[in-house]
Amino acid sequence: MANAYDVIVIGSGPGGYIAAIRASQLGLKVAVVEREHLAGICSNWGCIPTKALLRSADVMHTATHAKDYGLTLEGTIKPDVKAIVDRSRGIAHRMNNGVGFLFKKNKVDIIWGEAKITKPGEIVVGKSTKPVVQPQGPVPKNTLGEGTYTAKHIIIATGARPRALPGIEPDGKLIWTYFEAMKPEEMPKSLLVMGSGAIGIEFASFYRTMGVEVTVVEIMSQVMPVEDADISALAKKQFERQGMKILLEAKVAKVEKGANSITATIELKDGKTQQITADRMISAVGVQANIEGIGLEAVGVKTDRGFIVIDGYGKTNVPGVYAIGDVAGPPLLAHKAEHEAVICVEKIAGLPNVHPMDKLKIPGCTYCNPQVASVGLTEAKAKEQGRDIRVGRFPFVANGKAIALGEDQGLVKTIFDKKTGELIGAHMVGAEVTELIQGFVVAMNLETTEEDLMHTIFPHPTISETMKESVLDAYGQALNA
């Protein structure tokens, strides 16, 4: 039957398209249902285009500090908002086209429209309520679009969307989500950011570097609340040194809109209130899973706190129905979705030795300035679990390469189990740490001990030497500090 598949994936984001490609590689007949654009939020509005914006900010920062490197630049350096946004959107479009090419290469069919599971093994695809953006270039011939399709296995990869707080709902003009924050028509003079998780702090960093007056309001006691306290504290110090204002243990109680500005009433931890007026506000208080309208209730798929409940292999409580990525719960990260996709599909295909996801070994990265990256337990979490630990710290200020780069404000922190020498956590803040963290992720997956890391030769001069020195410091053997 033309409309019968081994696997149908609902959603083509990082989890969905990787699931489809891996399933095809394993000899399964595969289709993907997409209602809007290939590659999902990550490539179109999240991970990739935001990094394009942040790259522009990096260049801006370097150019405005040229004299620190013995260089003189003529004229005034200022951002061209349209050019910055156009570059970012062009990169998103390129990623969209790339997924279309991969589907063609791997013989994955695309079904344009919105899917609803009507019973195990069957979906009905209706007309999309979103504007469909089809990729340019060589893509698979579209299937019938609207209609009924069957599959032995249905994988839900519908992702998530920005969460809105009652009474402070984004309007797209004065109160933004990340959608509007990515494509401003002009730079605001002032900006209030509600929430200091990865999304909030990355946009705060971008706009501050572009010269915008930025205030961040965070309800928790530290910026980037999921990070280790030492890392968060150093990052906050650097943000404030750049001119960012940060209010911790504070809450946006209400927002009043003007003609071209907002005035927010902030409740402070001492019970007092403060009013802040800004041209624009970004609501970055998390996301919620896209679980509505896809037929979960009809087939009895279990959810918990707004996410689909799965086991370590992506299986739901309904045979033949699976979920991966943001819709299946935290951590809400693209690389988690991709790895979850491979695990799920390989289990479906019956491959041997498929291991369930170990969430403690999923790295997290925030691409602000300075960057932040981590994996495993924080010092506080390790102590909460009653672990007997050794903690090592090594500052960038003692690293020759960091000093030469003019990036000497950073820290690497490592946490070991005192009894076994097992590396159970690694945390970093500083230049390019998002590229360094994978070294510790590999080490944790290989069950590396402190002795293995101490005997590893790190190239000199590199910032990566801070990683080894942090390990040495945990055991009282640091050589350069």
Side-chain angles (χ1 to χ4, degrees):
M1 294 176 60
N3 288 7
Y5 293 87
D6 296 313
V7 175
I8 289 179
V9 184
I10 304 175
S12 70
Y17 88 76
I18 291 296
I21 290 171
R22 185 63 183 132
S24 181
Q25 289 175 343
L26 293 171
L28 302 175
K29 185 181 179 184
V30 187
V32 170
V33 184
E34 177 53 58
R35 68 176 182 174
E36 190 170 4
H37 41 50
L38 299 183
I41 291 296
C42 177
S43 293
N44 288 279
W45 293 101
C47 320
I48 305 301
T50 56
K51 302 310 157 290
L53 295 180
L54 288 162
R55 177 58 175 165
S56 294
D58 286 342
V59 174
M60 177 79 173
H61 175 79
T62 301
T64 54
H65 290 79
K67 65 180 182 180
D68 295 340
Y69 301 91
L71 303 174
T72 300
L73 296 181
E74 298 294 337
T76 302
I77 301 166
K78 60 182 180 179
D80 181 335
V81 179
K82 184 179 184 304
I84 291 171
V85 172
D86 285 349
R87 177 177 182 270
S88 174
R89 302 315 306 149
I91 289 169
H93 190 60
R94 180 176 173 181
M95 299 299 295
N96 183 286
N97 288 343
V99 172
F101 169 79
L102 290 173
F103 280 169
K104 179 177 177 61
K105 175 184 175 182
N106 289 279
K107 297 181 174 58
V108 173
D109 289 335
I110 303 173
I111 305 170
W112 293 103
E114 298 197 9
K116 187 171 185 177
I117 304 171
T118 49
K119 61 183 179 182
E122 180 183 277
I123 67 169
V124 171
V125 178
K127 185 177 181 180
S128 177
T129 58
K130 300 276 188 177
V132 174
V133 182
Q134 295 194 26
Q136 299 175 347
V139 298
K141 182 179 179 181
N142 293 345
T143 56
L144 297 176
E146 298 175 45
T148 300
Y149 298 84
T150 62
K152 300 172 185 175
H153 309 278
I154 298 172
I155 301 175
I156 302 168
T158 48
R161 64 186 184 278
R163 183 184 300 279
L165 296 183
I168 316 178
E169 292 86 357
D171 60 8
K173 180 187 176 184
L174 297 175
I175 303 178
W176 293 345
T177 66
Y178 54 75
F179 289 103
E180 295 81 25
M182 287 197 60
K183 50 184 183 65
E185 294 182 0
E186 60 183 9
M187 282 289 169
K189 292 182 180 178
S190 55
L191 176 70
L192 176 65
V193 180
M194 180 171 62
S196 73
I199 293 173
I201 211 67
E202 285 186 1
F203 278 117
S205 187
F206 167 73
Y207 279 99
R208 180 66 201 124
T209 303
M210 292 298 170
V212 178
E213 293 296 322
V214 175
T215 301
V216 177
V217 178
E218 171 56 55
I219 197 168
M220 304 299 286
S221 60
Q222 65 178 56
V223 292
M224 295 177 286
V226 301
E227 300 296 343
D228 185 272
D230 286 344
I231 301 301
S232 173
L234 197 153
K236 177 177 179 287
K237 181 179 179 181
Q238 289 301 104
F239 297 150
E240 290 176 330
R241 183 174 291 177
Q242 295 161 13
M244 198 182 296
K245 298 175 184 176
I246 298 175
L247 299 177
L248 299 178
E249 297 181 84
K251 180 176 82 168
V252 178
K254 68 176 182 178
V255 176
E256 297 177 358
K257 298 178 184 178
N260 198 33
S261 66
I262 61 95
T263 297
T265 299
I266 313 297
E267 292 182 356
L268 305 174
K269 63 181 179 180
D270 59 6
K272 296 180 180 179
T273 62
Q274 174 182 344
Q275 287 195 326
I276 296 176
T277 298
D279 291 346
R280 297 293 182 270
M281 172 177 168
I282 295 177
S283 176
V285 291
V287 300
Q288 62 189 88
N290 294 319
I291 61 174
E292 304 87 355
I294 54 177
L296 300 185
E297 301 84 1
V299 293
V301 172
K302 185 179 179 181
T303 63
D304 180 40
R305 287 175 288 184
F307 296 101
I308 297 175
V309 177
I310 61 171
D311 68 4
Y313 301 97
K315 294 180 182 178
T316 70
N317 61 305
V318 177
V321 180
Y322 311 78
I324 58 174
D326 288 0
V327 76
L332 309 184
L333 300 167
H335 45 279
K336 174 258 194 182
E338 292 176 347
H339 194 69
E340 221 165 23
V342 173
I343 290 172
C344 179
V345 168
E346 290 185 349
K347 193 68 173 179
I348 287 172
L351 267 61
N353 303 317
V354 180
H355 300 290
M357 175 79 74
D358 183 350
K359 292 186 178 181
L360 273 179
K361 294 176 182 175
I362 301 174
C365 296
T366 306
Y367 299 82
C368 45
N369 180 20
Q371 293 182 3
V372 174
S374 60
V375 64
L377 298 175
T378 64
E379 181 178 359
K381 285 290 183 183
K383 289 178 177 177
E384 282 178 21
Q385 293 182 9
R387 305 285 289 263
D388 193 8
I389 59 174
R390 286 181 178 270
V391 178
R393 299 173 179 83
F394 193 82
F396 277 32
V397 74
N399 175 263
K401 179 67 178 292
I403 294 170
L405 292 175
E407 300 283 1
D408 64 355
Q409 294 302 300
L411 175 71
V412 176
K413 180 175 179 178
T414 46
I415 303 167
F416 293 87
D417 185 287
K418 187 178 287 188
K419 295 179 181 178
T420 66
E422 176 191 5
L423 176 65
I424 59 175
H427 309 273
M428 304 172 156
V429 56
E432 297 305 323
V433 295
T434 59
E435 298 291 341
L436 297 180
I437 192 63
Q438 193 59 26
F440 283 134
V441 178
V442 172
M444 289 177 68
N445 274 276
L446 294 177
E447 299 181 351
T448 300
T449 66
E450 89 289 352
E451 186 176 355
D452 297 319
L453 289 166
M454 288 176 178
H455 291 165
T456 299
I457 299 173
F458 284 70
H460 176 77
T462 63
I463 295 177
S464 72
E465 290 173 279
T466 59
M467 299 166 68
K468 180 174 180 176
E469 288 279 6
S470 178
V471 176
L472 292 170
D473 182 66
Y475 290 83
Q477 299 178 40
L479 298 171
N480 286 283

